[in-house]
Amino acid sequence: MSLFLVLTFLFFAGSLIGWGLEVFWRRFFSKENREHKWINPGFLTGPYLPIYGLSLTVLFLLSFIDVSFICEKDWVQKIILFAVMAICITVMEFVAGLIFIKGMHIKLWDYSKEWGNIKGIVCPLYSFFWMILSGLYYFLIHPQILEWLYWFTDHLAFSLVIGYFYGVFTIDLCYTFNISAKIRAFADEHQIEVRYENLKALIQKKNEELAEKRHFVFAFKSHRKNFHDLLQEISEKLERK
């Protein structure tokens, strides 16, 4: 079975599963969401988070690393392996966050209030969560992957589902980067750094004030005002944040 097929499937599955985890985390456990509303997380519009899809593919590849040369005890090897996994995902998270901050003046997430954070992009607490998720992946998911993939290759209809996913994903990227270009231009104009989730919340609140329907998927959509006008109206709140 080709490695490309495996990684394609894992990116698809990880992106969807990660989105689901984030939705429930933000709804029930996030300190920022005090009203406990349903929030569509992440950078893109659809129900997927590429950082989780990429992380799952990395976990799959790292699972084949042999760390027995470090220690003969099996439990120590597992801890070392999970720590390596967590470090790699944390590095990816840091690079992705830095690219958006430096290149687009957008902060997709903010760990500034967490202990030991670096530029508000990564912190020890969430790296620990990545380590826990790495362990869960290794014991619960990794042993089943090849079986799932054999099932996948035997059911061509599911291949069409994944093909459809990547088609929608590509369209979503174009749509979202168009929105992001507008946000970047606005951020340059006002010399600010836009917190993405904060911007979503402010626009949704503004829509509620305009008696508009709250959009779970299209968080930046408004029927009464164009996007630039919405940004202009909430610019002071963005700057204070």
Side-chain angles (χ1 to χ4, degrees):
M1 189 175 299
S2 70
L3 180 62
F4 175 77
L5 180 61
V6 173
L7 298 183
T8 299
F9 174 83
L10 290 177
F11 182 84
F12 159 79
S15 297
L16 294 179
I17 293 172
W19 182 87
L21 291 174
E22 285 285 342
V23 166
F24 279 93
W25 174 267
R26 292 166 190 261
R27 173 66 172 80
F28 298 106
F29 303 106
S30 175
K31 298 177 183 178
E32 300 295 328
N33 185 19
R34 297 180 180 179
E35 297 178 354
H36 297 288
K37 293 182 178 180
W38 291 105
I39 297 174
N40 183 14
F43 173 64
L44 297 172
T45 301
Y48 30 74
L49 290 177
I51 187 68
Y52 280 89
L54 186 59
S55 297
L56 187 58
T57 60
V58 169
L59 290 180
F60 171 78
L61 295 172
L62 292 178
S63 295
F64 296 100
I65 294 179
D66 184 7
V67 294
S68 59
F69 67 93
I70 298 177
C71 181
E72 295 182 356
K73 295 182 178 180
D74 184 66
W75 66 272
V76 176
Q77 295 176 19
K78 295 296 187 293
I79 291 177
I80 294 174
L81 179 60
F82 301 155
V84 171
M85 289 175 169
I87 291 171
C88 289
I89 296 176
T90 298
V91 170
M92 287 194 308
E93 190 177 25
F94 181 78
V95 171
L98 201 61
I99 288 174
F100 276 92
I101 289 175
K102 298 296 185 181
M104 309 188 74
H105 305 304
I106 295 175
K107 194 172 232 183
L108 294 180
W109 57 86
D110 189 7
Y111 299 153
S112 298
K113 297 179 181 179
E114 301 294 341
W115 174 83
N117 75 86
I118 302 177
K119 296 183 180 297
I121 303 175
V122 295
C123 67
L125 177 62
Y126 282 87
S127 293
F128 175 73
F129 289 156
W130 281 121
M131 187 172 178
I132 297 298
L133 287 175
S134 297
L136 292 175
Y137 162 81
Y138 186 85
F139 290 112
L140 301 179
I141 300 177
H142 188 70
Q144 309 299 327
I145 284 178
L146 290 181
E147 182 180 342
W148 293 345
L149 288 171
Y150 281 119
W151 179 91
F152 161 61
T153 54
D154 290 335
H155 294 75
L156 295 180
F158 191 63
S159 302
L160 295 177
V161 171
I162 293 186
Y164 177 78
F165 162 82
Y166 279 100
V168 173
F169 180 76
T170 302
I171 295 173
D172 197 338
L173 279 175
C174 296
Y175 169 81
T176 306
F177 274 112
N178 180 49
I179 293 290
S180 300
K182 296 178 181 179
I183 297 175
R184 177 183 179 180
F186 183 83
D188 286 337
E189 179 184 347
H190 290 77
Q191 295 298 304
I192 59 175
E193 181 181 273
V194 177
R195 288 170 54 189
Y196 206 67
E197 296 300 329
N198 182 44
L199 176 60
K200 283 184 181 179
L202 288 173
I203 289 180
Q204 289 171 357
K205 186 176 181 179
K206 192 66 181 179
N207 284 340
E208 291 172 358
E209 293 175 359
L210 295 170
E212 288 196 359
K213 180 181 179 182
R214 182 175 181 271
H215 295 276
F216 175 74
V217 177
F218 295 100
F220 301 126
K221 186 176 181 179
S222 174
H223 295 292
R224 300 191 186 184
K225 294 180 179 293
N226 63 48
F227 189 57
H228 183 271
D229 289 341
L230 275 175
L231 289 175
Q232 196 65 45
E233 288 191 17
I234 63 177
S235 60
E236 292 183 2
K237 294 181 180 179
L238 284 174
E239 289 172 347
R240 285 201 298 268
K241 294 293 183 180

